[in-house]
Amino acid sequence: MNGNRATTWVEGTSADLVADAHALGVMKASPRMVTSWIEAGMLANPEPRKTRAHGSDPRVFPPQQRELFTKLLEARERSPLGRIPQRSLIRIVLYLWLIDDTIVLTPQARRAWRTHARATGQTTAVRRRENVRAIVAQLAHPSATLKQRRAAQLVLEEGERTGRIDLDRLTAVLTELYSPWPAQPGLPRIERAVSGPYGPVPVQHHIAMWKARQQTISLLKQEQVDEAELDRVRAAYRLMWADYQARRPAMAAAIGAGEFASYFAEPDTMEGRAIEAVDAFVSTLAGELGLVEAASHAAETARLRLAR
C-alpha cells in the first residue's frame, strides 16, 4: 500500500474516486461501480462529513480507502490476463485485513468474506470436474479401479455443485478409493493412512476437513459470523500464523527435496500470499468455531457404521 510514496492521499468523495479511476484510464468507472465495490466489501462505507450549518456534505472515504481503490484498480488493469477477476481482488482485501488493522476494517471485511464465500461455489461444471479429478488422483490408491474412481468423482462433484454432503455415501466411496481392498469375512477392513508432512493421514481427515470448510464457507456466505467473532479468530490466526512462519524455514529445510518440499514453499507473489493466508484463516475459523472437531466426530461415526 506504500508503493507510491510520492502520493499524499487525502479523503475523497465517490466522485473523487471516479476521477482517480479516469486518471488511470479506467473510463468505465462510475458512482455505480463505487457502490458495487462497497457492497462487495472491496471498499468501506464512506463516512459522513458535516461542514455546513444546514445540510451535509457528500460522504467521504478516508485516505487509506482512496489509496486502496486506486491500488486495486492498478493491479486489475496491469494483469497479463487483461483483467484480474473480482475474486482475486477480494482475496487481496482480506489479506490486508488479516495483516493490518488500519486499511481494511472488520465491517468491510465481513462483506468481503461474504463475497469470497459466494465466489467459492461459483464455478463451471468443467472446472468442477477438473478440480474433482485432481482430488481423486491425489487420494486414490494405485490399485483403485476405474469404477471406484468414477464413483468417488460423482459424489464429490455433487457435493461441490450443491454444497451438501451425504457423509455416509462420501465415506463409502472415498474409503474404497483410499483403501481399495475388499473386506474379508470376519476380519476388519484394512484401511491405509497416507504419509503427510505432519504424520499419517487417514481418509477421515480429508472428509472432516472438507465438511468443516464447507460449513464455514456457508456461514460466511450468509454473514452468520459476526464482527466480534471475526476479530477474535483473526487474533488467534495471527498468533498461529506467526508461529508457523517462524518455524517454516526449518521445516522446509528438514523436508529438503522430498515429496513435501513444496508444502512449505513460500509464495513469491502478492496474490499467492493472499490465497495462502485466506485459506489458512478459513481453516482456523473452522477450528475455532468447533466445526473441525464436530466434523471429525461425524466422519469417525460414519466410518464405524460402514465397518459394521
Side-chain angles (χ1 to χ4, degrees):
M1 290 295 295
N2 295 316
N4 184 1
R5 296 185 180 276
T7 301
T8 300
W9 295 94
V10 298
E11 64 184 20
T13 64
S14 176
D16 291 326
L17 267 61
V18 171
D20 292 341
H22 289 171
L24 290 173
V26 185
M27 305 312 295
K28 292 184 178 180
S30 66
R32 182 187 293 268
M33 172 187 168
V34 173
T35 299
S36 175
W37 277 38
I38 294 170
E39 292 173 351
M42 293 171 68
L43 285 172
N45 286 313
E47 301 169 356
R49 180 181 60 172
K50 187 175 180 66
T51 60
R52 293 178 290 181
H54 301 285
S56 60
D57 293 329
R59 290 174 174 258
V60 295
F61 296 88
Q64 298 91 334
Q65 286 286 310
R66 189 173 179 181
E67 181 182 7
L68 174 64
F69 179 71
T70 299
K71 296 301 184 185
L72 290 175
L73 279 179
E74 287 176 342
R76 189 181 72 171
E77 295 305 309
R78 68 171 173 260
S79 168
L81 301 176
R83 177 160 295 184
I84 298 177
Q86 188 187 64
R87 63 179 178 272
S88 296
L89 296 179
I90 282 292
R91 282 194 292 259
I92 298 297
V93 171
L94 292 171
Y95 178 60
L96 293 172
W97 174 74
L98 286 170
I99 65 172
D100 192 286
D101 292 330
T102 62
I103 302 171
V104 177
L105 303 184
T106 304
Q108 176 188 351
R110 191 181 184 207
R111 297 195 303 275
W113 279 116
R114 178 194 63 197
T115 302
H116 170 73
R118 288 177 177 175
T120 299
Q122 293 178 352
T123 185
T124 65
V126 172
R127 178 60 61 85
R128 277 198 301 272
R129 283 194 294 270
E130 290 175 351
N131 292 341
V132 166
R133 275 198 292 266
I135 294 171
V136 169
Q138 176 189 357
L139 299 183
H141 185 275
S143 299
T145 66
L146 183 60
K147 181 179 179 182
Q148 290 168 327
R149 295 169 189 263
R150 181 60 177 161
Q153 183 169 331
L154 290 174
V155 173
L156 287 170
E157 282 183 11
E158 181 181 357
E160 289 291 318
R161 178 176 56 82
T162 65
R164 295 188 295 271
I165 299 174
D166 182 334
L167 202 57
D168 287 338
R169 187 177 173 211
L170 181 65
T171 299
V173 297
L174 288 190
T175 297
E176 287 203 359
L177 182 74
Y178 216 66
S179 307
W181 310 287
Q184 299 300 315
L187 296 175
R189 183 187 184 97
I190 298 175
E191 294 187 29
R192 72 179 178 127
V194 177
S195 60
Y198 300 107
V201 182
V203 71
Q204 282 72 34
H205 169 80
H206 296 287
I207 295 171
M209 290 306 300
W210 190 42
K211 180 178 176 63
R213 287 181 64 89
Q214 288 269 45
Q215 291 174 318
T216 304
I217 290 296
S218 178
L219 291 176
L220 291 170
K221 186 185 300 184
Q222 299 169 48
E223 291 189 88
Q224 291 183 353
V225 183
D226 63 31
E227 293 170 20
E229 189 73 346
L230 286 173
D231 282 337
R232 183 188 71 80
V233 177
R234 178 176 61 170
Y237 159 85
R238 284 177 174 175
L239 289 174
M240 289 187 283
W241 193 247
D243 177 67
Y244 170 67
Q245 290 292 75
R247 295 186 294 113
R248 189 174 194 165
M251 296 166 77
I255 295 296
E259 60 179 310
F260 303 116
S262 62
Y263 191 91
F264 300 105
E266 295 193 50
D268 55 6
T269 65
M270 175 69 151
E271 184 176 5
R273 291 191 293 274
I275 291 171
E276 181 183 63
V278 167
D279 285 348
F281 179 82
V282 171
S283 296
T284 301
L285 181 59
E288 290 289 317
L289 295 178
L291 298 176
V292 173
E293 182 178 0
S296 297
H297 176 74
E300 179 60 16
T301 300
R303 185 190 73 81
L304 294 174
R305 281 197 298 266
L306 180 66
R308 291 184 187 136

